Amino acid sequence: MSLLIMYWVMTLCCCLYAAIAGGATGRAGAAVILCKTILGFCAALMDQSWARTAYPLLFIDSACLVLFVVIALRSTHLWPLWTTGCALAAVCVHLASIAQIGFAPMIYQGLKDIWSLLMQFFMVRGIVLDVRYRRANILTEARPAF
């Protein structure tokens, strides 16, 4: 239970930071991740068996992938490409379970969940680098050229 609480706190902190410092792209990415987390939690409560493909989670992850593709295509930042890759990997895990490659239930759950963590990491790291780049450019433009 404490891992679940830590995950929710981390998700809220990441999304809050993205919404504050990430501009329009950060707000859109934070909204997608927050909605994905809430809907995924609700879907997991309805069906807690990982012995078969979780179709509601496949639908949620597919919608997340589509939304991140749209965000990546409209953005000038690079981090949405990384989060799109994570969303694609999450969908591929579900597709592999449909193909019955032979996932053990714990491996299926772990592989599905790891991409959510990486998605948040790439979003926050990308926004941190974007903010650092903007600050560096503002400082160099403000200096007089002698």
Side-chain angles (χ1 to χ4, degrees):
M1 190 62 158
S2 64
L3 284 176
L4 183 61
I5 292 170
M6 285 187 345
Y7 177 77
W8 276 99
V9 169
M10 183 194 75
T11 301
L12 291 174
C13 289
C14 289
C15 291
L16 183 64
Y17 175 75
I20 292 170
T25 304
R27 287 189 292 278
V32 170
I33 287 176
L34 199 57
C35 288
K36 174 190 179 325
T37 302
I38 292 169
L39 292 173
F41 181 72
C42 293
L45 284 178
M46 288 189 285
D47 181 21
Q48 295 185 358
S49 171
W50 291 96
R52 60 187 182 281
T53 303
Y55 286 102
L57 294 176
L58 171 61
F59 176 75
I60 293 166
D61 286 340
S62 298
C64 178
L65 173 62
V66 169
L67 291 172
F68 268 118
V69 166
V70 170
I71 291 170
L73 289 174
R74 293 180 180 211
S75 177
T76 58
H77 305 288
L78 293 177
W79 67 263
L81 295 174
W82 289 91
T83 54
T84 303
C86 291
L88 178 62
V91 170
C92 288
V93 168
H94 292 295
L95 296 178
S97 74
I98 291 172
Q100 296 182 358
I101 293 177
F103 282 145
M106 299 250 334
I107 293 177
Y108 176 41
Q109 181 183 9
L111 284 174
K112 191 209 87 56
D113 290 342
I114 193 71
W115 297 112
S116 297
L117 295 171
L118 289 172
M119 195 179 302
Q120 292 177 33
F121 169 77
F122 288 133
M123 178 180 68
V124 170
R125 182 66 181 148
I127 291 171
V128 166
L129 291 175
D130 287 342
V131 167
R132 188 180 300 165
Y133 177 76
R134 271 185 271 150
R135 284 185 184 155
N137 280 344
I138 288 171
L139 290 176
T140 57
E141 289 175 4
R143 293 183 188 162
F146 289 106

